[in-house]
Amino acid sequence: MNHLHLACVVGARPNFMKMAPLLSALKKYPHVRPTLIHTGQHYDAALSDVFFQELDMQRPDVSLEVGSGKHGEQTARILERMEAVLETGPSGGGRYDRIVVVGDVNSTLAAALAAAKLQIPVAHVEAGLRSFDRTMPEETNRILTDAISDALLVSEQAGVDNLRREGRSDDQIFLVGNVMIDTLRKMLPLARERDVLSQLHLQPGAYGFVTLHRPSNVDEPATLSRLIAVLRSCAERLPLVFPVHPRTRSKLAAFGLATDTGGSGGLRLVEPLGYLDCLALTSQAKVIVTDSGGLQEESTALGVPCLTLRENTERPVTVEQGTSRLIGSNPERLEAGLGEVLAGRYPAGRCPELWDGKAAERIAAVLANEQSASR
Ligand code: UD1
């Protein structure tokens, strides 16, 4: 049997729930041999290990342990270490036939670039998304990764439209749906068994769920303090639970801002959550307030209102069909959105096409058959 060796790359928290269903779907193809490579961009147990346990994901075959750093430093470290790993090839000898990268983090771009330079074909899962906002580091990662990928696996129609507009040919574009929603659908029953709500003294449907970590929202004292003030005022009407990303935690400390914890009301800052506790809380929330790309999609799949603290989104289907509304960091719009939610007037959304729990099967079919495709 001719084996097809895939180098499958993860690095940061939002990558794990995209790769887990894909690795599982690839098991259907005995000729496909995935090697899981973890760059180590995220290394804290709460941002990495817990996902491997909860998603029942194989441990990485290779760990690059790059850790944190400035963008250039981090990207360069991954590039250098990934090149060496790709040159070594899969265990047992031979050469990687393809690298598979997901999402838009620094690990995605750096790994894709290392492979492209070695003329290893690149498959990008979550290709084609564009915020058209070059101030976002992820936008640079998306554009460059797509430019050097030859299999573009897309989660929503806007991604296909963007790639066509950029001149990509249709035989490289595959509209496969949203693989992260595969994980959500599979894990929802387990998540509902968690007792995190009672631990936090929360009632289903009677609290809001907040996340905040984008540099544009947390890196400037004026922006972050305004957002915290608005959240605090909203929390007088609805308790808000806020798992704090390490980046945000250090900025809050540096700027001398919110440190509220405990109690059953107000703004509740908690440690970063594992996948299941996060899903338990998001799926039963009255409203989600976030700047995360993933949560815009998850809230849409769950049908929970999502007030998105961004001016733009690379995931327009979550606004056009789903439950997300872009409110920037505008306090009045946040208050107004929350008012609509509490009054039961917030519009219901619908779940986009192909966000059906079967995206990984479609991606695996594309990857597994590619050996015979002449590209
Ligand atoms: C990264 C992604 C972002 C994604 C987010 C999800 C890029 C450019 N950004 O942002 O798209 O939405 O992950 O979490 O790739 N840190 C820890 N522990 C860790 C990792 C990081 O404490 O395990 C701290 C470090 O102080 C580090 C900071 O968080 O400097 C930022 O980490 P980094 O990986 O650079 O970016 P994120 O903000 O996590």
Side-chain angles (χ1 to χ4, degrees), residues 196-204 206-207 239 241 264 268 281:
V196 61
L197 266 74
S198 57
Q199 279 171 21
L200 292 168
H201 310 291
L202 296 168
Q203 298 299 322
Y207 63 91
V241 53
S264 55
R268 315 262 303 276
L281 285 166

Side-chain angles (χ1 to χ4, degrees), residues 55-324:
L55 303 177
D56 197 18
M57 198 170 163
Q58 70 184 70
R59 291 280 146 185
D61 300 293
V62 182
S63 294
L64 306 184
E65 296 178 2
V66 298
S68 300
K70 290 189 279 186
H71 282 265
E73 268 170 4
Q74 189 177 57
T75 308
R77 234 181 277 142
I78 300 167
L79 181 60
E80 196 174 358
R81 294 183 196 182
M82 186 63 74
E83 181 174 63
V85 168
L86 293 177
E87 278 181 333
T88 304
S91 88
R95 184 179 153 81
Y96 287 109
D97 295 289
R98 171 167 288 288
I99 191 171
V100 184
V101 297
V102 298
D104 57 13
V105 300
N106 287 343
S107 299
T108 311
L109 169 62
L113 185 53
K117 293 275 187 179
L118 294 170
Q119 294 179 24
I120 297 171
V122 181
H124 182 204
V125 175
E126 208 181 271
L129 299 182
R130 300 287 180 267
S131 66
F132 303 101
D133 175 0
R134 294 281 182 117
T135 65
M136 279 181 91
E138 293 82 0
E139 183 71 352
T140 306
N141 293 343
R142 291 180 199 114
I143 292 169
L144 296 181
T145 302
D146 285 343
I148 53 177
S149 298
D150 72 322
L152 300 155
L153 300 138
V154 185
S155 56
E156 62 171 276
Q157 183 60 39
V160 174
D161 301 341
N162 293 330
L163 291 166
R164 284 187 179 145
R165 202 178 311 113
E166 291 172 14
R168 304 308 297 265
S169 80
D170 276 349
D171 67 347
Q172 295 184 323
I173 304 173
F174 304 88
L175 183 59
V176 290
N178 193 322
V179 73
M180 193 182 61
I181 303 305
D182 290 14
T183 299
L184 180 145
R185 294 197 186 287
K186 180 173 170 207
M187 294 293 170
L188 197 52
L190 262 182
R192 289 297 182 104
E193 289 171 13
R194 308 286 287 191
D195 59 3
V196 61
L197 266 74
S198 57
Q199 279 171 21
L200 292 168
H201 310 291
L202 296 168
Q203 298 299 322
Y207 63 91
F209 183 87
V210 178
T211 76
L212 206 55
H213 76 286
R214 295 248 162 244
S216 58
N217 281 331
V218 306
D219 283 3
E220 289 300 322
T223 311
L224 185 57
S225 69
R226 193 177 66 232
L227 281 171
I228 293 293
V230 176
L231 290 173
R232 234 190 255 286
S233 128
C234 290
E236 286 167 16
R237 302 164 73 189
L238 184 72
L240 296 179
V241 53
F242 178 7
V244 187
H245 186 282
R247 166 190 279 283
T248 312
R249 171 81 64 193
S250 74
K251 298 294 176 189
L252 288 171
F255 306 153
L257 289 168
T259 50
D260 325 28
T261 47
S264 55
L267 180 60
R268 315 262 303 276
L269 275 62
V270 299
E271 292 300 312
L273 298 164
Y275 185 80
L276 291 171
D277 281 348
C278 185
L279 184 53
L281 285 166
T282 53
S283 63
Q284 297 175 81
K286 183 89 175 161
V287 62
I288 293 171
V289 180
T290 189
D291 60 5
S292 146
L295 271 174
Q296 290 170 55
E297 297 184 331
E298 288 168 340
S299 58
T300 280
L302 292 166
V304 175
C306 181
L307 303 172
T308 299
L309 298 167
R310 288 181 48 189
E311 303 291 347
N312 52 52
T313 180
E314 60 287 339
R315 296 161 161 90
V317 77
T318 59
V319 176
E320 289 155 10
Q321 297 180 23
T323 51
S324 172

Side-chain angles (χ1 to χ4, degrees), residues 4 6 8 22 26 29 31-32 98-100 122-125 151 153 360 362-371:
L4 182 72
L6 299 182
C8 298
L22 183 51
L26 285 169
Y29 301 94
H31 72 290
V32 176
R98 171 167 288 288
I99 191 171
V100 184
V122 181
H124 182 204
V125 175
L153 300 138
R362 291 186 281 267
I363 297 170
V366 172
L367 296 175
N369 293 329
E370 264 186 349
Q371 205 175 22

